[in-house]
Amino acid sequence: MNSISRRTFLGVAGAGIAAAGIGVPFVSGIAGASSTGKVLPSRVPLPPPFQRRLTLPPVLLPTRSDATTDYYDVVQSVTRATILPGLTTKLWTYNGSFPGPTIRSERGRTVTVRHTNNLPVPTVVHLHGGRTPQDSDGYPTDYVYPTDMSYYDRHLRHAHAGSGHDMVTGGDTRQGMRTYTFPLQQRAATLWYHDHRMDFTGPSVWQGLAGFHLHHDDEEAALHLPAGDHDLPLMITDRSFDTDGSLLYPSLDPTLVNQHGVHGDYVAGVLGDVMLVNGTPWPIAPVQRSTYRIRLLNACNARRLSLRLDPPPPSAITQIGTDGGLLVEPIHHDHLELAPAQRFDILVDFSHYAPGTEVTLINDYGTAAMGQVMRFVVGGGSPQAFRVPAQLSTIPALRPADAITTRKFDFRAGDVNDHDGWLISQAPFSPDSIAAHVRLGTTEIWQLNADFHHPVHIHLSPFQVLARGSGGPGPFDAGWKDTIDLRPGEQAKILIHFDGYQGTYVFHCHNLEHEDMAMMANFVVS
């Protein structure tokens, strides 16, 4: 929010749902309304775009494997890396890289990941999009404490991280280690993992705790999609930098131990002014005259993206998948809109471009430098196009008639302990409060109402979008989703079939500043 004070913002938000027509934004005149948040300006000159080559995150190999399971080890540690020319940046990393190493898994094989926390504060790991038992889902207070507690104990002034709750389960996490088990009995999909610590997810992810988890199955393999160096996972993030190259973030408590939250208008969301793709600012990527599979992940804390290619490919952008895996059939777009945490799996045919053509990935929701993301440079050689299958997958359509109940949840700004914050149905998050009790194996309709932009993420069970306002799903709502992009003043309905596992899970806004400022709730599957 660039042009109004926080108090004005709250006043508008309080009247939002009542004042808005169904599905009609009521804040379209506000500057920067494509994202709910405020730009945090860097204090160092921004690097020129398209100077450094795109890199892909390293693929993590199993420590060992047996007949049913692949075992991985990840160490969370402080690392220094060169992101801006001539400067080094301190990062919190998985295995020393940002993004963290990519884990590739196959349906039918269990994955276990042992995380060792060598960072100064507790962490929590969530496999976003994973169909995961409760004890490995990354509940926000299932802390993995540091191996060295000296920093944490020295700064700790409250019961725990400002929350007063400590419901650690599964292993002696006080000793800095936890093993997460992922059965991964689910369709092939572009998943990702990131920190999920209660009250501090925003600064932890901002400092680097995020990575890809690419899950595969036989249905996907039968399509013979572009693979190897033609399969490009792209994690798009925005960050801001201080004069010494360190990351800027407006935390109320720079120790990230006690008081959570951010200063002033940044409660609405923190927007960076440097665009990173796989940790590199505005990179350049050479491509052959052939078809590439590109996995787009919006890993920004709060920034929404509207992406297109310039010049556009003659065959448009072909979407083949979304959060929850393959679509039934390809969908052609001239642009894609991604809220934080959403993924789009696309095919781009570079065979029609002349050698030497520079193709820029544009962000129409950004201004100045943030209006560009990266650039592809087309090489020579004979064109080799890929024939996209007309049928990609089979997805059973959930039926509204099968829903046993409809629940309504409002996502809007409000006061949290006399501070500006964000609420779900007038309530801030508490591990002790349950917003919904659902029965395993049943289907429900959830109606979600928004005041401002809220990317709503639901753990455990993917969903299908039933309606936006008085119409049907939007142009980017096809397939199985785990995150829906709610627009200002919008009402949406989704169908969820709760299967997999019993236990306590959360749903929340994936604008990470909203999440940290209490926009999260529990649901129990029994």
Side-chain angles (χ1 to χ4, degrees), residues 48 52 68 86 100 144 164 173 260 267 270 285 304 363 372 378 381 419 437 486 499:
R52 292 177 54 193
T68 62
V144 184
T173 57
H260 65 285
V267 172
V270 181
R304 295 172 68 246
N363 171 33
Q372 300 179 97
V378 181
H419 295 282
H437 290 269
L486 293 183
D499 64 358

Side-chain angles (χ1 to χ4, degrees), residues 47-53 281-284 360-361 372-375:
F50 318 133
Q51 300 297 306
R52 292 177 54 193
R53 185 162 174 163
W282 296 287
I284 190 167
T360 304
L361 185 60
Q372 300 179 97
V373 178
M374 65 173 294
R375 178 167 289 170

Side-chain angles (χ1 to χ4, degrees), residues 119-406:
L119 295 169
V121 300
T123 60
V124 174
V125 180
H126 170 54
L127 178 59
H128 188 118
R131 189 168 172 263
T132 306
Q134 173 191 301
D135 60 0
S136 289
D137 187 59
Y139 190 86
T141 55
D142 281 354
Y143 304 114
V144 184
Y145 287 97
T147 53
D148 179 356
M149 292 287 291
S150 59
Y151 173 93
Y152 186 66
D153 288 338
R154 184 167 68 251
H155 292 282
L156 187 66
R157 297 190 302 271
H158 303 301
H160 189 279
S163 67
H165 297 277
D166 194 350
M167 52 181 296
V168 178
T169 61
D172 188 2
T173 57
R174 186 78 183 178
Q175 299 304 310
M177 187 179 296
R178 183 188 182 101
T179 297
Y180 295 84
T181 300
F182 305 118
L184 290 166
Q185 294 299 326
Q186 60 188 95
R187 324 168 65 232
T190 299
L191 313 177
W192 65 301
Y193 62 99
H194 59 80
D195 189 73
H196 207 255
R197 175 189 169 202
M198 180 166 165
D199 300 335
F200 293 95
T201 296
S204 295
V205 172
W206 187 271
Q207 294 192 82
L209 292 180
F212 280 105
H213 183 128
L214 306 182
H215 186 52
H216 305 277
D217 64 10
D218 291 342
E219 180 184 54
E220 176 196 53
L223 298 176
H224 302 290
L225 297 170
D229 60 5
H230 281 54
D231 183 351
L232 302 180
L234 302 181
M235 180 183 290
I236 303 172
T237 58
D238 57 345
R239 296 291 185 266
S240 301
F241 295 85
D242 210 339
T243 54
D244 61 356
S246 61
L247 290 168
L248 285 175
Y249 189 82
S251 294
L252 291 174
D253 176 10
T255 71
L256 303 183
V257 172
N258 293 287
Q259 186 177 8
H260 65 285
V262 290
H263 290 282
D265 285 355
Y266 294 108
V267 172
V270 181
L271 309 178
D273 62 357
V274 177
M275 192 74 84
L276 304 177
V277 182
N278 293 349
T280 299
W282 296 287
I284 190 167
V287 292
Q288 299 175 18
R289 299 181 69 198
S290 55
T291 302
Y292 282 72
R293 179 181 188 176
I294 299 178
R295 303 170 186 260
L296 297 168
L297 162 62
N298 182 348
C300 299
N301 278 34
R303 183 181 292 276
R304 295 172 68 246
L305 304 169
S306 179
L307 303 179
R308 61 181 172 87
L309 293 169
D310 182 29
S315 56
I317 298 170
T318 302
Q319 182 190 358
I320 60 169
T322 187
D323 302 340
L326 294 170
L327 301 175
V328 172
E329 58 188 19
I331 300 176
H332 301 291
H333 300 282
D334 59 4
H335 76 290
L336 297 166
E337 297 178 14
L338 287 83
Q342 289 189 315
R343 287 89 67 208
F344 280 83
D345 200 341
I346 64 173
L347 297 178
V348 176
D349 182 5
F350 292 101
S351 69
H352 295 287
Y353 291 106
T357 302
E358 296 179 342
V359 183
T360 304
L361 185 60
I362 299 292
N363 171 33
D364 284 324
Y365 285 161
T367 58
M370 300 305 287
Q372 300 179 97
V373 178
M374 65 173 294
R375 178 167 289 170
F376 301 95
V377 178
V378 181
S382 301
Q384 297 179 347
F386 172 79
R387 184 175 181 179
V388 182
Q391 178 83 16
L392 298 169
S393 181
T394 301
I395 298 178
L398 299 180
R399 302 188 306 168
D402 292 335
I404 64 171
T405 191
T406 296

Side-chain angles (χ1 to χ4, degrees), residues 435-465:
H437 290 269
V438 305
R439 296 208 313 267
L440 188 68
T442 63
T443 300
E444 296 188 358
I445 295 173
W446 284 16
Q447 177 181 308
L448 312 175
N449 304 318
D451 55 1
F452 287 82
H453 291 288
H454 295 297
V456 176
H457 171 50
I458 300 173
H459 287 221
L460 179 64
S461 297
F463 54 83
Q464 295 174 10
V465 178

